[in-house]
Amino acid sequence: MSEIVSVEAPANIAFIKYWGARDLERAIPLNPSLSMTLRACATRTSAQVLGRGMGDEMWLVGDGGLQPAGGSFRDRALAHVARLRAWAGRDEGVRIATHNSFPASAGMASSASGFAALTLAVVAAFGRDPEPAELSRLARSSGSGSAARSVLGGYVEWPAEGSGAGAEGAAVQVAPASHWDLRDVIVLVQRRPKGVSSLQGHLRAPTSPHFATRQRLLPERLDRARAAIRERSLAQLGPVLEQEAIELHLIAMSSVPPIFYWAPSTLRVLERVRGLRDDGVPAFATMDAGANVHVICEPGHEPAVIDALGSAPGIDGLMRDRVGEGPRRIHEHLLGAEPGGTGV
Ligand code: DP6
């Protein structure tokens, strides 16, 4: 048996959203995006190369130990393992175990951290150590575009293909986590997974009459977001990230057929965030393709945000997160050394 490699990769929250794909299967975006890599919301994955002729194994770490993965997650993950194997020019099977630090039932997108962790663990188990740009492209080829950003820490930009910015198709770091300590108070509004996948959303986005307008406005908005990060100005960044979130949902709601991700409590939380600002607390809300709200603020204002939102009616809990440094190798393995054994 070869060495077990274990990796932790974080989720990320987009300030400028990837919404609409030129090529959905390879996750080639129609527009650039910009995100903050998180720290607490992360996926841990262990990988071990098996002998030749052995099939792949995919395990989830649950309460009672390892359980075989099933359903569409398993299919997508194994298809990605096959892609990584072909890239590495290898033919052995791989044994994988994975675990999310945040509850899978929390309605939080876990595919960015999941596919970033899977990519990094399998590539390392095959003994390869590619440049970050190649890792970003490999993570993206899973079909989860946001995974392209999760292989890097801090503030990360993923240019649209053909824009001439950065390595083609790969995300690049705009600033490290140490540059600016931003906090993300995640307000859980709905724990169940969203009804319509992001993949469907990307597909339908260009059917919205507002899609073309958004594409026209994005370059200037991206410049403003990048400059705000450089200057550590939440007064500049906040309105941009809030506008982006609302526009993503405007496009979803006006796509054909329409997609409604918001729940009634989403609006109540947004109202509270506006109320916080009226009381002099600079906090700004963003949402991915779901009902949960990420409230971005600086450390000094985090207690006031938690206080105001923890008691909002109809919410199902809060999670505290912050900008993080990106993926790392870990030494606690989720697999035991022998087949079927667990290291947890
Ligand atoms: C709204 O195709 O990366 O989060 O694989 O489900 O994470 P998942 O979706 P993906 O699209 C992400 C859409 C978004 C915006 C963003 O993260 O840029």
Side-chain angles (χ1 to χ4, degrees):
M1 286 282 168
S2 60
E3 188 203 357
I4 301 171
V5 176
S6 298
V7 167
E8 182 179 90
N12 65 77
I13 177 68
F15 294 158
I16 301 286
K17 312 284 184 185
Y18 157 41
W19 200 242
R22 195 184 303 282
D23 177 333
L24 201 56
E25 253 172 52
R26 292 190 300 142
I28 300 179
L30 279 165
N31 67 271
S33 55
L34 177 68
S35 58
M36 175 172 95
T37 298
L38 298 176
R39 189 157 100 181
C41 292
T43 302
R44 290 181 161 211
T45 298
S46 295
Q48 183 181 33
V49 177
L50 301 169
R52 279 214 170 75
M54 291 176 74
D56 295 324
E57 293 175 30
M58 180 69 57
W59 300 92
L60 298 178
V61 179
D63 290 342
L66 295 183
Q67 293 151 8
S72 62
F73 165 77
R74 181 178 189 276
D75 297 345
R76 254 185 106 182
L78 287 181
H80 192 50
V81 172
R83 208 174 281 123
L84 297 172
R85 181 170 31 241
W87 170 85
R90 301 282 289 260
D91 55 10
E92 302 98 317
V94 188
R95 191 151 69 103
I96 288 149
T98 190
H99 176 68
N100 282 339
S101 70
F102 46 106
S105 61
M108 301 270 310
S110 52
S111 53
S113 57
F115 281 107
L118 183 64
T119 303
L120 297 168
V122 171
V123 162
F126 279 134
R128 304 287 294 265
D129 185 20
E131 294 291 306
E134 182 68 357
L135 283 170
S136 174
R137 272 190 292 263
L138 284 170
R140 186 204 76 186
S141 69
S142 66
S144 169
S146 48
R149 301 186 307 243
S150 266
V151 301
L152 296 164
Y155 299 88
V156 179
E157 183 174 338
W158 178 31
E161 204 121 321
S163 65
E168 205 68 354
V172 288
Q173 190 182 64
V174 173
S178 57
H179 171 72
W180 193 14
D181 181 7
L182 277 186
R183 302 297 165 93
D184 179 5
V185 177
I186 306 166
V187 188
L188 297 175
V189 166
Q190 220 166 52
R191 282 182 180 262
R192 61 183 151 82
K194 57 194 179 225
V196 182
S197 68
S198 298
L199 293 181
Q200 272 299 321
H202 293 306
L203 208 58
R204 288 186 214 170
T207 64
S208 162
H210 307 292
F211 186 76
T213 308
R214 172 174 155 73
Q215 300 304 306
R216 195 159 40 74
L217 298 175
L218 269 172
E220 192 265 337
R221 201 178 283 169
L222 180 66
D223 285 347
R224 262 193 293 151
R226 219 188 283 116
I229 289 171
R230 211 176 302 125
E231 290 158 30
R232 297 186 200 92
S233 168
L234 191 55
Q236 278 184 58
L237 178 65
V240 178
L241 70 86
E242 219 168 85
Q243 189 177 28
E244 261 296 286
I246 292 166
E247 216 169 88
L248 163 85
H249 289 271
L250 167 84
I251 287 177
M253 289 180 206
S254 55
S255 292
V256 185
I259 311 172
F260 297 95
Y261 287 118
W262 289 6
S265 302
T266 308
L267 284 170
R268 285 191 209 110
V269 173
L270 293 180
E271 196 179 1
R272 287 231 170 174
V273 174
R274 282 197 299 274
L276 273 166
R277 285 206 293 274
D278 291 344
D279 294 342
V281 178
F284 297 88
T286 182
M287 290 141 288
D288 275 345
N292 300 324
V293 186
H294 294 245
V295 184
I296 308 297
C297 62
E298 290 188 291
H301 294 114
E302 196 186 12
V305 170
I306 291 173
D307 210 43
L309 296 172
S311 61
I315 73 153
D316 207 359
L318 296 181
M319 285 169 62
R320 288 173 63 186
D321 213 333
R322 60 169 72 181
V323 63
E325 279 160 9
R328 60 189 183 104
R329 283 284 273 269
I330 53 172
H331 301 289
E332 308 90 66
H333 302 306
L334 308 179
L335 290 164
E338 295 310 316
T342 165
V344 232

